[in-house]
Amino acid sequence: MSIFGSMTTAVLGLNAQSKALGHISDNIANASTIGYKRVDSAFETMVLQSSQRLHAPGGVTAQPVFMNNIQGSLTQVQSPTNIAIQGQGFFSVSKLSTQSTSGTVQTQTGTVSASASYYTRAGDFELDKNRYLVNSAGYALNGWVTDPVTGQLKKDQVAPIQVSSLIDKPTSTTGIDLSANLPATPTKGEKVPDSSIQIFDTQGNPRTVNFKWRQQAGSDWRMVIDAPGSNSKPVDGSFAGYPATATFGQNIAGVTAIAQANAVVISGQNTNGQDNLRVGETYTVTVDGTNYSLKITSDNISSIRTYSGLAGALANQINSASPAASVLATVTNNVIHVSARNAGTPFKISQSVTGAAPTSNTITGPTTTAATSTAGQIDRYSFPQSQIDVGDVYQIRVQVGGAATSTVLKVTVTAQTYSTYANVTGVVQEMANRINAAGLGVTASATGGVLSVQNSTAAGTITATSSGVVNSSAAANTMTGVFSTANVAGVRQTRTVTLTGTPGDVGTLYSLSVNGTPVTYSTTGDELSMEDITAALANKINSNTSLPVTATAQGGVISVTAKTATDPAFTQTMTGTGTVTLAGATVTDIGDTYTVTSGGVPYSLTITAANHATYGTPAAVMANLAAQINAVTPAAATVSGNQLTWAGATGAVTNTTAQQFTLDQTCVAGQTPAHIGLTFGKTPETVGTLTNISTALVGTGTAVSAATQAAGAAANVTFTVDYGFGPQQVTLNMGKYQKPGGLTQYAGEQINVTQLVQNGAPRGQFKDVVFGDNGNVLVNYDNGRSKVIAKVPIITFNNPNALHRESGGVFLESEDAGKPNFNDPETNGAGAVIANSTEGSNVDIADEFTKLIVTQRSYSANTKIVTTSDEMLQEVLGLKR
C-alpha cells in the first residue's frame, strides 16, 4: 500500500471516531430524557484487497447501533396520568395536528385504523386543553376506545384518547345487600334500632329505605320495609289483631288499721291530803327507745303538785318532742294514754321510777331553861333531819303556866309550800311564825333546826309542851303500764289482673273499670312486650288521682291496691229506750256516727282514723257517750259493756259507706300492622340462620319473598318503589337460607349491622382521570364511581432496534423492524403498564465516559498516522537533493 493509501486509511479512522463521539455526546445529552434509548457505535473494517501475498488496508467506518429494546429505570411520580412500560413494547402516539381518522396501520395481526402513527416509551402524559392525554413532546396517546353504547372496547380502531365523559349518568338502585345479627335476647325495655340505607331513584335522587325490627317470640321476628316518598309501599296496611284478654287473679280483702294504745298509771300514797311526790324522784316513759323523763325538784314540785300534774307534764313532753314522737299522749287523772300516731304502726313502751327514799322525820326535846326574875322560861325543840317530804306534818303543843288549856300548832309540807320551806329550817321558821301569831303569851324563834319557845312574861313559866311529826307514807311511788288496744297492721285491698295479647298490634283496647270509673289504654304498636302494656295501663290508673286505688305492674300482671286500709263496711244498730244497746260487729268502722238522745238533747261520736284506736269497739263508744252525758248531768248515765242506761234515751247509728273497691274489664282486639315474617332455625344444624321469609302479611305492599327457600337458596325479598318516575324494583339480599352470613340471630343484646350496601349511584361530575395497572384509562367522578373510557395497547416489533427515530423521542415503523403488533399489556411478550411512573433514559453515564476516553485515544492515534505519513513523504521528496 502506498503512503498516500495510509493517509486515506487514517482519515477514515478519524471520521469513524468522530461519528462514535457524536453518538456518545447524544447519549450523554439525553441521559435525563424520559424514554430515551441510547445509540451505541459499531465499527466495520473496509478491505480493498487482501490475500496471502498482499493486503491493501481499506480503513474503517462507524455505524450506529440502536438500543431500543433495553429497559430504562422506572421512577414513581405523583401524577396519576403518567405511565411507563415494564418490559418490551411501545405506546402508540400521534400528532394531533396531523392525525387523520381515515388512516390505517398494517399490523402483524391485521389492519388497525389509526392516524399518523408514532411509537414511544415517553409516558409523561397529561390532559391538554381539549382533554387529550399528551406527553411532554406533544404527542397524544392512542388507545382502544370504549363504545359509549355497549361499553365494550373497539379493538379494531386505535385513536387518540380524549376524556369526553364529563358527567356520569345516575344509576338507580336495584339491589341491597344486608348482613346483620339480630340479638337473640334484646335489651329488655329497649327498642331494636331501625336500620337505614340511602338508595337512588332513576333520576339519581337520594332516597331513604328504613328497616324496622321487632322480635315477636324467640326466633320469630317482624321486619317492616319503609320507603318514605314512594307512591308504592313495600309493606302497607293491617290485619285483624290477635286476641286480647284481662283475667282477674287473687283478691286480698282490706282490713282497717287500728292504732295501738297503752296506758301508764302513776300510783302512790296520799298522806294528809297530799300526793306523796318526793324531790329527787325521776319518772320516765320510754317509747321506741326514746326516754321522756321528769325529775321532781324543789323548783318544779310546786307546779306539778299531784300525780295528775305529773302525768300531764310527761304527756306534754311526749307531744312536744322534736322530732315528733311516733305516739300521742292524753291524760285522765293520773293515767297517761299513749296511742300510735299512725294506725297500723306498732310501738314499744316502758316506764320506770327512780329516786330518793322517804325520810323519817322527828322532833326531840324540849330542853328547858328556867325562868328568872327578868326572863320567862324557855323550851327548845330540835329538828334533827334536814330533808322534808310532801305530806309530813310537824306539830307543837303549847300550854302557858296558868292557862287552862293547851294549843296545838301544825305545819304541813305541801307541794305548793315545798319550794318555800326547802328543808327543815323553813319548817322550823314557819312553826315559829305560827306560834307567834297565835297570841299564846309566848315568843318563838328559829335558829337552824332548833325552835325556841319563851314565856313573854318575866319569871313566867310554860307548864305543858310536847312535839311530834306525822310522816308521809313510806310506800314507794310507781308507774304501771296497762295494755289498752293491740295494734292492727291494716291491709289494703289488692286485686291482680293478668293481661294477654300480642305486643306490636295497634289499637288493642285494655279497659279496667274501678268502682264504675273506666280507665283505658289503647296500644300504639311501639310496645315491646306485655310488660310495656301493663305498665302503661297502670300509669293511666295512677294518673287519675280521684280513684281510690293505685296500680303497679310487673311482667304482664297489674296489682290494683286500695289507697287506704279499710274493712268492708260493718252494719251497727242501736236499739232500746232508756237502756240503749249497740249491736252488730265487734269492730267499728271509720266514718260511723253514733248518737244517743234524751229530752231532745243529742250526744254524738264520729269514728275517725285518729280516734279509731280508742273507740274501735262498741263498749268504748258507749263509754264515751256516757262520759259526755255525765259531764253535763253528773251520774245521769251508766254503762255496762255495750249498753248505756239514761232516762228516756234512744240511739241511732249512721253507718259508713266505706267498702272494698270493685273491678270490671273490657278488652277489644286491635290491628296487626303489615310486616314481613322472619324465622330463624332452632335445630343444631340451623340454629341462628334464616330458615323462612314470609310475605303473606305485607298487606297491599309490593314485597315478595323467593319461592324457593331450601337450604343454600338465596334469601331475597324483592319490592317495588315508585318515586314518580315509574316503578323501580329493588332486591334485598339477606344471604342464604340455613347458612351463616347475611341475616342471622345469635347471642347478643344489640343489633350488629356488618354490611348494608346498595348498587345505585347519583349523577356524577368529572373529577380526574387515572390509569389502571392493566392499561385501562379510568375516569373518576365525584359520586364515587369510575368508568373505563379506553385501554392502552402495548405495540411490539420483531426488531425494535430497527425503528426509525424522530424528534420528541418517537419512532417510526421501518421495513427492517417489521409490522407493529397491538397487544393487551402482559400478553404475547408485551410489557406491563405501570401507573404513576415514568421510564427514564437507558444511558449509563459511567459507560459513556469510558467509551469517550477510548474514542478520544483512538482519534489521537489516527492523527499520528497522518503525521508519520507526511514525514515519510518529506523524506521521499528529499531524495532529489
Side-chain angles (χ1 to χ4, degrees), residues 662-690:
T662 60
L663 287 180
D664 293 309
Q665 62 83 20
T666 302
C667 295
V668 179
Q671 295 288 310
T672 299
H675 62 272
I676 298 170
L678 305 176
T679 303
F680 295 89
K682 298 180 180 178
T683 65
E685 297 80 12
T686 64
V687 64
T689 62
L690 195 58

PDB file of all heavy atoms in Angstrom, residues 662-690:
ATOM      1  N   THR A 662    -114.389  -2.336  93.496  1.00  0.00           N
ATOM      2  CA  THR A 662    -114.765  -3.364  92.529  1.00  0.00           C
ATOM      3  C   THR A 662    -114.062  -3.094  91.203  1.00  0.00           C
ATOM      4  O   THR A 662    -113.732  -1.952  90.876  1.00  0.00           O
ATOM      5  CB  THR A 662    -116.290  -3.378  92.303  1.00  0.00           C
ATOM      6  OG1 THR A 662    -116.694  -2.094  91.805  1.00  0.00           O
ATOM      7  CG2 THR A 662    -117.018  -3.683  93.598  1.00  0.00           C
ATOM      8  N   LEU A 663    -113.797  -4.170  90.466  1.00  0.00           N
ATOM      9  CA  LEU A 663    -113.140  -4.070  89.164  1.00  0.00           C
ATOM     10  C   LEU A 663    -113.963  -4.786  88.112  1.00  0.00           C
ATOM     11  O   LEU A 663    -114.513  -5.870  88.362  1.00  0.00           O
ATOM     12  CB  LEU A 663    -111.738  -4.699  89.203  1.00  0.00           C
ATOM     13  CG  LEU A 663    -110.620  -3.958  89.933  1.00  0.00           C
ATOM     14  CD1 LEU A 663    -109.330  -4.760  89.828  1.00  0.00           C
ATOM     15  CD2 LEU A 663    -110.421  -2.571  89.373  1.00  0.00           C
ATOM     16  N   ASP A 664    -114.024  -4.175  86.914  1.00  0.00           N
ATOM     17  CA  ASP A 664    -114.572  -4.824  85.732  1.00  0.00           C
ATOM     18  C   ASP A 664    -113.580  -4.595  84.601  1.00  0.00           C
ATOM     19  O   ASP A 664    -112.768  -3.659  84.642  1.00  0.00           O
ATOM     20  CB  ASP A 664    -115.941  -4.252  85.362  1.00  0.00           C
ATOM     21  CG  ASP A 664    -116.997  -4.585  86.407  1.00  0.00           C
ATOM     22  OD1 ASP A 664    -117.117  -5.774  86.753  1.00  0.00           O
ATOM     23  OD2 ASP A 664    -117.679  -3.650  86.875  1.00  0.00           O
ATOM     24  N   GLN A 665    -113.631  -5.438  83.581  1.00  0.00           N
ATOM     25  CA  GLN A 665    -112.670  -5.319  82.479  1.00  0.00           C
ATOM     26  C   GLN A 665    -113.345  -5.445  81.137  1.00  0.00           C
ATOM     27  O   GLN A 665    -114.377  -6.106  80.999  1.00  0.00           O
ATOM     28  CB  GLN A 665    -111.568  -6.377  82.615  1.00  0.00           C
ATOM     29  CG  GLN A 665    -112.029  -7.829  82.563  1.00  0.00           C
ATOM     30  CD  GLN A 665    -112.208  -8.380  81.158  1.00  0.00           C
ATOM     31  OE1 GLN A 665    -111.657  -7.826  80.208  1.00  0.00           O
ATOM     32  NE2 GLN A 665    -112.995  -9.436  81.014  1.00  0.00           N
ATOM     33  N   THR A 666    -112.723  -4.777  80.144  1.00  0.00           N
ATOM     34  CA  THR A 666    -113.155  -4.889  78.751  1.00  0.00           C
ATOM     35  C   THR A 666    -111.909  -4.913  77.876  1.00  0.00           C
ATOM     36  O   THR A 666    -110.992  -4.096  78.062  1.00  0.00           O
ATOM     37  CB  THR A 666    -114.039  -3.694  78.345  1.00  0.00           C
ATOM     38  OG1 THR A 666    -115.164  -3.636  79.208  1.00  0.00           O
ATOM     39  CG2 THR A 666    -114.506  -3.843  76.901  1.00  0.00           C
ATOM     40  N   CYS A 667    -111.836  -5.846  76.930  1.00  0.00           N
ATOM     41  CA  CYS A 667    -110.706  -5.924  76.007  1.00  0.00           C
ATOM     42  C   CYS A 667    -111.231  -6.040  74.583  1.00  0.00           C
ATOM     43  O   CYS A 667    -112.161  -6.814  74.319  1.00  0.00           O
ATOM     44  CB  CYS A 667    -109.814  -7.126  76.328  1.00  0.00           C
ATOM     45  SG  CYS A 667    -108.992  -7.009  77.930  1.00  0.00           S
ATOM     46  N   VAL A 668    -110.630  -5.275  73.674  1.00  0.00           N
ATOM     47  CA  VAL A 668    -111.010  -5.298  72.259  1.00  0.00           C
ATOM     48  C   VAL A 668    -109.740  -5.450  71.438  1.00  0.00           C
ATOM     49  O   VAL A 668    -108.781  -4.677  71.609  1.00  0.00           O
ATOM     50  CB  VAL A 668    -111.761  -4.014  71.857  1.00  0.00           C
ATOM     51  CG1 VAL A 668    -112.124  -4.068  70.377  1.00  0.00           C
ATOM     52  CG2 VAL A 668    -112.996  -3.815  72.711  1.00  0.00           C
ATOM     53  N   ALA A 669    -109.715  -6.441  70.565  1.00  0.00           N
ATOM     54  CA  ALA A 669    -108.536  -6.672  69.726  1.00  0.00           C
ATOM     55  C   ALA A 669    -108.335  -5.512  68.763  1.00  0.00           C
ATOM     56  O   ALA A 669    -109.292  -4.917  68.266  1.00  0.00           O
ATOM     57  CB  ALA A 669    -108.692  -7.976  68.953  1.00  0.00           C
ATOM     58  N   GLY A 670    -107.069  -5.215  68.471  1.00  0.00           N
ATOM     59  CA  GLY A 670    -106.732  -4.130  67.556  1.00  0.00           C
ATOM     60  C   GLY A 670    -106.385  -4.652  66.169  1.00  0.00           C
ATOM     61  O   GLY A 670    -106.996  -5.599  65.672  1.00  0.00           O
ATOM     62  N   GLN A 671    -105.392  -4.026  65.555  1.00  0.00           N
ATOM     63  CA  GLN A 671    -104.960  -4.373  64.211  1.00  0.00           C
ATOM     64  C   GLN A 671    -103.483  -4.749  64.215  1.00  0.00           C
ATOM     65  O   GLN A 671    -102.673  -4.107  64.881  1.00  0.00           O
ATOM     66  CB  GLN A 671    -105.182  -3.199  63.246  1.00  0.00           C
ATOM     67  CG  GLN A 671    -106.642  -2.837  63.037  1.00  0.00           C
ATOM     68  CD  GLN A 671    -107.371  -3.873  62.213  1.00  0.00           C
ATOM     69  OE1 GLN A 671    -106.918  -4.275  61.142  1.00  0.00           O
ATOM     70  NE2 GLN A 671    -108.528  -4.311  62.717  1.00  0.00           N
ATOM     71  N   THR A 672    -103.141  -5.819  63.481  1.00  0.00           N
ATOM     72  CA  THR A 672    -101.745  -6.213  63.316  1.00  0.00           C
ATOM     73  C   THR A 672    -101.184  -5.509  62.091  1.00  0.00           C
ATOM     74  O   THR A 672    -101.686  -5.713  60.979  1.00  0.00           O
ATOM     75  CB  THR A 672    -101.617  -7.735  63.135  1.00  0.00           C
ATOM     76  OG1 THR A 672    -102.133  -8.381  64.289  1.00  0.00           O
ATOM     77  CG2 THR A 672    -100.159  -8.127  62.946  1.00  0.00           C
ATOM     78  N   PRO A 673    -100.155  -4.641  62.233  1.00  0.00           N
ATOM     79  CA  PRO A 673     -99.596  -3.933  61.071  1.00  0.00           C
ATOM     80  C   PRO A 673     -98.984  -4.919  60.081  1.00  0.00           C
ATOM     81  O   PRO A 673     -98.468  -5.981  60.459  1.00  0.00           O
ATOM     82  CB  PRO A 673     -98.517  -3.029  61.692  1.00  0.00           C
ATOM     83  CG  PRO A 673     -98.870  -2.947  63.141  1.00  0.00           C
ATOM     84  CD  PRO A 673     -99.513  -4.247  63.487  1.00  0.00           C
ATOM     85  N   ALA A 674     -99.055  -4.571  58.818  1.00  0.00           N
ATOM     86  CA  ALA A 674     -98.430  -5.393  57.786  1.00  0.00           C
ATOM     87  C   ALA A 674     -96.936  -5.498  58.058  1.00  0.00           C
ATOM     88  O   ALA A 674     -96.299  -4.542  58.514  1.00  0.00           O
ATOM     89  CB  ALA A 674     -98.687  -4.785  56.413  1.00  0.00           C
ATOM     90  N   HIS A 675     -96.357  -6.662  57.749  1.00  0.00           N
ATOM     91  CA  HIS A 675     -94.937  -6.872  58.014  1.00  0.00           C
ATOM     92  C   HIS A 675     -94.449  -8.086  57.247  1.00  0.00           C
ATOM     93  O   HIS A 675     -95.237  -8.855  56.673  1.00  0.00           O
ATOM     94  CB  HIS A 675     -94.679  -7.072  59.509  1.00  0.00           C
ATOM     95  CG  HIS A 675     -95.376  -8.283  60.071  1.00  0.00           C
ATOM     96  ND1 HIS A 675     -96.668  -8.236  60.548  1.00  0.00           N
ATOM     97  CD2 HIS A 675     -94.962  -9.573  60.227  1.00  0.00           C
ATOM     98  CE1 HIS A 675     -97.020  -9.438  60.962  1.00  0.00           C
ATOM     99  NE2 HIS A 675     -96.010 -10.274  60.784  1.00  0.00           N
ATOM    100  N   ILE A 676     -93.169  -8.276  57.245  1.00  0.00           N
ATOM    101  CA  ILE A 676     -92.530  -9.462  56.664  1.00  0.00           C
ATOM    102  C   ILE A 676     -92.079 -10.340  57.820  1.00  0.00           C
ATOM    103  O   ILE A 676     -91.421  -9.861  58.755  1.00  0.00           O
ATOM    104  CB  ILE A 676     -91.330  -9.074  55.782  1.00  0.00           C
ATOM    105  CG1 ILE A 676     -91.807  -8.206  54.609  1.00  0.00           C
ATOM    106  CG2 ILE A 676     -90.592 -10.307  55.279  1.00  0.00           C
ATOM    107  CD1 ILE A 676     -90.669  -7.570  53.829  1.00  0.00           C
ATOM    108  N   GLY A 677     -92.443 -11.600  57.806  1.00  0.00           N
ATOM    109  CA  GLY A 677     -92.083 -12.516  58.878  1.00  0.00           C
ATOM    110  C   GLY A 677     -90.736 -13.169  58.618  1.00  0.00           C
ATOM    111  O   GLY A 677     -90.454 -13.637  57.511  1.00  0.00           O
ATOM    112  N   LEU A 678     -89.883 -13.174  59.634  1.00  0.00           N
ATOM    113  CA  LEU A 678     -88.573 -13.821  59.556  1.00  0.00           C
ATOM    114  C   LEU A 678     -88.512 -14.907  60.615  1.00  0.00           C
ATOM    115  O   LEU A 678     -88.847 -14.666  61.778  1.00  0.00           O
ATOM    116  CB  LEU A 678     -87.442 -12.813  59.780  1.00  0.00           C
ATOM    117  CG  LEU A 678     -87.416 -11.574  58.881  1.00  0.00           C
ATOM    118  CD1 LEU A 678     -86.302 -10.651  59.312  1.00  0.00           C
ATOM    119  CD2 LEU A 678     -87.227 -11.979  57.426  1.00  0.00           C
ATOM    120  N   THR A 679     -88.079 -16.093  60.239  1.00  0.00           N
ATOM    121  CA  THR A 679     -87.950 -17.198  61.178  1.00  0.00           C
ATOM    122  C   THR A 679     -86.531 -17.727  61.125  1.00  0.00           C
ATOM    123  O   THR A 679     -85.976 -17.958  60.040  1.00  0.00           O
ATOM    124  CB  THR A 679     -88.937 -18.337  60.842  1.00  0.00           C
ATOM    125  OG1 THR A 679     -90.260 -17.820  60.845  1.00  0.00           O
ATOM    126  CG2 THR A 679     -88.843 -19.452  61.873  1.00  0.00           C
ATOM    127  N   PHE A 680     -85.933 -17.907  62.310  1.00  0.00           N
ATOM    128  CA  PHE A 680     -84.570 -18.411  62.415  1.00  0.00           C
ATOM    129  C   PHE A 680     -84.592 -19.817  63.004  1.00  0.00           C
ATOM    130  O   PHE A 680     -85.470 -20.169  63.802  1.00  0.00           O
ATOM    131  CB  PHE A 680     -83.720 -17.481  63.268  1.00  0.00           C
ATOM    132  CG  PHE A 680     -83.530 -16.125  62.664  1.00  0.00           C
ATOM    133  CD1 PHE A 680     -84.428 -15.097  62.920  1.00  0.00           C
ATOM    134  CD2 PHE A 680     -82.473 -15.879  61.807  1.00  0.00           C
ATOM    135  CE1 PHE A 680     -84.277 -13.850  62.349  1.00  0.00           C
ATOM    136  CE2 PHE A 680     -82.303 -14.624  61.227  1.00  0.00           C
ATOM    137  CZ  PHE A 680     -83.213 -13.617  61.495  1.00  0.00           C
ATOM    138  N   GLY A 681     -83.622 -20.616  62.603  1.00  0.00           N
ATOM    139  CA  GLY A 681     -83.588 -22.012  62.984  1.00  0.00           C
ATOM    140  C   GLY A 681     -83.325 -22.243  64.465  1.00  0.00           C
ATOM    141  O   GLY A 681     -82.712 -21.416  65.152  1.00  0.00           O
ATOM    142  N   LYS A 682     -83.798 -23.421  64.944  1.00  0.00           N
ATOM    143  CA  LYS A 682     -83.611 -23.803  66.342  1.00  0.00           C
ATOM    144  C   LYS A 682     -82.860 -25.125  66.486  1.00  0.00           C
ATOM    145  O   LYS A 682     -82.416 -25.452  67.577  1.00  0.00           O
ATOM    146  CB  LYS A 682     -84.968 -23.916  67.042  1.00  0.00           C
ATOM    147  CG  LYS A 682     -85.762 -22.618  67.098  1.00  0.00           C
ATOM    148  CD  LYS A 682     -87.095 -22.827  67.812  1.00  0.00           C
ATOM    149  CE  LYS A 682     -87.904 -21.545  67.869  1.00  0.00           C
ATOM    150  NZ  LYS A 682     -89.221 -21.753  68.530  1.00  0.00           N
ATOM    151  N   THR A 683     -82.757 -25.876  65.412  1.00  0.00           N
ATOM    152  CA  THR A 683     -82.078 -27.160  65.487  1.00  0.00           C
ATOM    153  C   THR A 683     -80.569 -26.944  65.496  1.00  0.00           C
ATOM    154  O   THR A 683     -80.079 -25.879  65.093  1.00  0.00           O
ATOM    155  CB  THR A 683     -82.463 -28.036  64.287  1.00  0.00           C
ATOM    156  OG1 THR A 683     -81.962 -27.411  63.082  1.00  0.00           O
ATOM    157  CG2 THR A 683     -83.978 -28.186  64.190  1.00  0.00           C
ATOM    158  N   PRO A 684     -79.816 -27.923  65.950  1.00  0.00           N
ATOM    159  CA  PRO A 684     -78.346 -27.757  65.965  1.00  0.00           C
ATOM    160  C   PRO A 684     -77.772 -27.407  64.595  1.00  0.00           C
ATOM    161  O   PRO A 684     -76.782 -26.697  64.499  1.00  0.00           O
ATOM    162  CB  PRO A 684     -77.846 -29.127  66.454  1.00  0.00           C
ATOM    163  CG  PRO A 684     -78.988 -29.672  67.255  1.00  0.00           C
ATOM    164  CD  PRO A 684     -80.237 -29.199  66.568  1.00  0.00           C
ATOM    165  N   GLU A 685     -78.405 -27.906  63.519  1.00  0.00           N
ATOM    166  CA  GLU A 685     -77.867 -27.652  62.182  1.00  0.00           C
ATOM    167  C   GLU A 685     -78.224 -26.265  61.667  1.00  0.00           C
ATOM    168  O   GLU A 685     -77.509 -25.698  60.840  1.00  0.00           O
ATOM    169  CB  GLU A 685     -78.403 -28.708  61.191  1.00  0.00           C
ATOM    170  CG  GLU A 685     -77.984 -30.140  61.491  1.00  0.00           C
ATOM    171  CD  GLU A 685     -78.822 -30.768  62.598  1.00  0.00           C
ATOM    172  OE1 GLU A 685     -79.862 -30.156  62.958  1.00  0.00           O
ATOM    173  OE2 GLU A 685     -78.428 -31.827  63.131  1.00  0.00           O
ATOM    174  N   THR A 686     -79.349 -25.716  62.118  1.00  0.00           N
ATOM    175  CA  THR A 686     -79.823 -24.453  61.540  1.00  0.00           C
ATOM    176  C   THR A 686     -79.858 -23.302  62.538  1.00  0.00           C
ATOM    177  O   THR A 686     -80.262 -22.200  62.171  1.00  0.00           O
ATOM    178  CB  THR A 686     -81.250 -24.634  60.976  1.00  0.00           C
ATOM    179  OG1 THR A 686     -82.143 -24.938  62.070  1.00  0.00           O
ATOM    180  CG2 THR A 686     -81.285 -25.745  59.955  1.00  0.00           C
ATOM    181  N   VAL A 687     -79.464 -23.545  63.785  1.00  0.00           N
ATOM    182  CA  VAL A 687     -79.640 -22.535  64.824  1.00  0.00           C
ATOM    183  C   VAL A 687     -79.022 -21.200  64.399  1.00  0.00           C
ATOM    184  O   VAL A 687     -77.900 -21.128  63.916  1.00  0.00           O
ATOM    185  CB  VAL A 687     -79.037 -23.021  66.152  1.00  0.00           C
ATOM    186  CG1 VAL A 687     -77.534 -23.216  66.056  1.00  0.00           C
ATOM    187  CG2 VAL A 687     -79.362 -22.029  67.284  1.00  0.00           C
ATOM    188  N   GLY A 688     -79.811 -20.144  64.558  1.00  0.00           N
ATOM    189  CA  GLY A 688     -79.342 -18.790  64.288  1.00  0.00           C
ATOM    190  C   GLY A 688     -79.380 -18.377  62.839  1.00  0.00           C
ATOM    191  O   GLY A 688     -79.185 -17.206  62.529  1.00  0.00           O
ATOM    192  N   THR A 689     -79.642 -19.328  61.917  1.00  0.00           N
ATOM    193  CA  THR A 689     -79.664 -18.978  60.495  1.00  0.00           C
ATOM    194  C   THR A 689     -81.097 -18.762  60.032  1.00  0.00           C
ATOM    195  O   THR A 689     -82.054 -19.250  60.634  1.00  0.00           O
ATOM    196  CB  THR A 689     -79.011 -20.079  59.646  1.00  0.00           C
ATOM    197  OG1 THR A 689     -79.760 -21.296  59.797  1.00  0.00           O
ATOM    198  CG2 THR A 689     -77.579 -20.309  60.082  1.00  0.00           C
ATOM    199  N   LEU A 690     -81.241 -18.055  58.939  1.00  0.00           N
ATOM    200  CA  LEU A 690     -82.560 -17.728  58.397  1.00  0.00           C
ATOM    201  C   LEU A 690     -83.153 -18.968  57.728  1.00  0.00           C
ATOM    202  O   LEU A 690     -82.549 -19.553  56.824  1.00  0.00           O
ATOM    203  CB  LEU A 690     -82.427 -16.587  57.399  1.00  0.00           C
ATOM    204  CG  LEU A 690     -83.695 -15.844  56.971  1.00  0.00           C
ATOM    205  CD1 LEU A 690     -84.417 -15.253  58.181  1.00  0.00           C
ATOM    206  CD2 LEU A 690     -83.321 -14.726  56.000  1.00  0.00           C
TER     207      LEU A 690
END
